[in-house]
Amino acid sequence: MKAVTLNTLKTMKQQGQKIAVLTCYDATFAKVANQANVDALLIGDTLGMVLQGNDSTLPVTIEQMVYHTTCVNKGSDHAFIIADMPFMSYSSPELALKNAALLMQAGAHMVKIEGDLWLSEIIKQLTQNGVPVCAHIGLTPQAVHVFGGFKVQGKTEEQANHLLNTAKQLEHAGAAMLLLECVPSNLATNISQSVSIPVIGIGAGAETDAQVLVLHDMLGLNDKPAKFVRNFMQDKTSIQEAIESYVSAVKDGSFPAKEHQYIY
Ligand code: KIV
């Protein structure tokens, strides 16, 4: 199987082919996800919640992210690998560069950072040093205590305009990908059409270029799933089948359906 690269993902956006992304934290699941033809694996800092049992992603350390990135890289033979930079690991351009280097050396092909317009400076520093960056905007879980909970973002016209402008500025700063979390579907559509880089959505409607879900959520292991989650394990007898079903639902546009979206 040919390796999926950033160019592959850009071409898929240009050709209107949907991109299936899934979180992954170890070699065994990486192998299964590769066999199920997931395009990109995200070593998300959600591992702090789904693996470690915390109620937020804040306790996750760079050492833990490096460890899980190494594991995923060992089990993956062609998927594109994105690794999250955890809370406070990119609070200055210098620190970001030092920590991004650790993730890239562990096998990541891209790092993901969460925030707002202030990410521009960090993105410039990383991209100038050969590190592709995915900028995560909208609901950014590392700022859960700023938002006062895991809440939909961009609901007012002012917030929506701000997010659209942020997306454009971050592309301009050099971001090679965006991740939009928990925003109204029409805003996500507008942002995806306004930038030339691939946009991954989670709780962001059906019109983003890519979809991502947390592995444990789509396998039905979360007893309080968010509105945007579908349990792909429900009518399946193996994890491989469930992941294959997720990939085909993303590719044919049947996931996310109306009931998984924030429509105002
Ligand atoms: O950490 C994570 O898993 C994420 C989700 C948005 C998929 O960033």
Side-chain angles (χ1 to χ4, degrees):
M1 191 87 187
K2 209 165 165 240
V4 177
T5 65
L6 196 48
N7 282 340
T8 317
L9 300 175
K10 281 184 192 158
T11 306
M12 287 174 82
K13 172 173 178 128
Q14 283 157 6
Q15 296 181 343
Q17 290 173 43
K18 295 283 183 191
I19 302 164
V21 187
L22 190 60
T23 72
C24 189
Y25 315 100
D26 69 28
T28 302
F29 276 100
K31 199 168 166 198
V32 175
N34 272 262
Q35 280 163 354
N37 276 329
V38 171
D39 298 301
L41 297 176
L42 168 66
I43 302 111
D45 60 357
T46 39
L47 66 86
M49 300 172 83
V50 297
L51 301 190
Q52 299 174 346
N54 301 305
D55 59 7
S56 80
T57 58
L58 273 59
V60 178
T61 65
I62 187 69
E63 290 76 18
Q64 291 164 352
M65 292 307 302
V66 168
Y67 169 77
H68 287 282
T69 302
T70 306
C71 296
V72 169
N73 182 46
K74 283 188 184 160
S76 180
D77 64 2
H78 68 274
F80 189 71
I81 298 177
I82 308 169
D84 256 344
M85 298 198 63
F87 183 59
M88 285 299 151
S89 68
Y90 50 99
S91 53
S92 71
E94 296 70 32
L95 187 62
L97 194 55
K98 179 175 160 275
N99 286 324
L102 298 175
L103 292 171
M104 298 299 283
Q105 286 167 340
H109 303 133
M110 164 178 263
V111 299
K112 176 164 81 61
I113 53 179
E114 299 181 7
D116 207 296
L117 276 176
W118 63 271
L119 292 179
S120 292
E121 206 192 342
I122 312 288
I123 292 169
K124 279 185 195 149
Q125 172 80 323
L126 294 179
T127 53
Q128 278 164 9
N129 284 280
V131 179
V133 181
C134 174
H136 179 159
I137 61 172
L139 171 59
T140 50
Q142 291 172 15
V144 60
H145 299 303
V146 176
F147 297 131
F150 296 100
K151 295 181 177 158
V152 180
Q153 302 296 306
K155 281 160 73 171
T156 67
E157 198 182 333
E158 193 188 347
Q159 289 168 354
N161 287 337
H162 175 74
L163 276 175
L164 175 60
N165 179 42
T166 303
K168 290 180 184 169
Q169 297 284 333
L170 298 183
E171 176 180 29
H172 186 69
M177 216 179 279
L178 290 177
L179 189 148
L180 274 180
E181 179 165 355
C182 283
V183 297
S185 297
N186 59 351
L187 171 60
T189 302
N190 194 1
I191 292 177
S192 304
Q193 289 170 356
S194 304
V195 296
S196 60
I197 53 179
V199 177
I200 308 173
I202 178 163
E207 301 301 326
T208 53
D209 309 300
Q211 296 291 331
V212 65
L213 279 179
V214 170
L215 175 68
H216 295 58
D217 289 350
M218 56 80 73
L219 292 179
L221 297 172
N222 185 340
D223 51 11
K224 285 191 196 129
K227 178 184 169 74
F228 55 78
V229 171
R230 178 172 144 196
N231 177 357
F232 284 89
M233 194 68 209
Q234 210 156 33
D235 53 351
K236 298 289 178 294
T237 51
S238 78
I239 288 172
Q240 165 111 20
E241 260 185 74
I243 298 179
E244 280 169 359
S245 159
Y246 166 67
V247 172
S248 54
V250 170
K251 301 276 177 193
D252 69 18
S254 56
F255 176 78
K258 281 258 154 25
E259 71 260 30
H260 306 117
Q261 304 188 32
Y262 299 105
I263 298 169
Y264 298 97

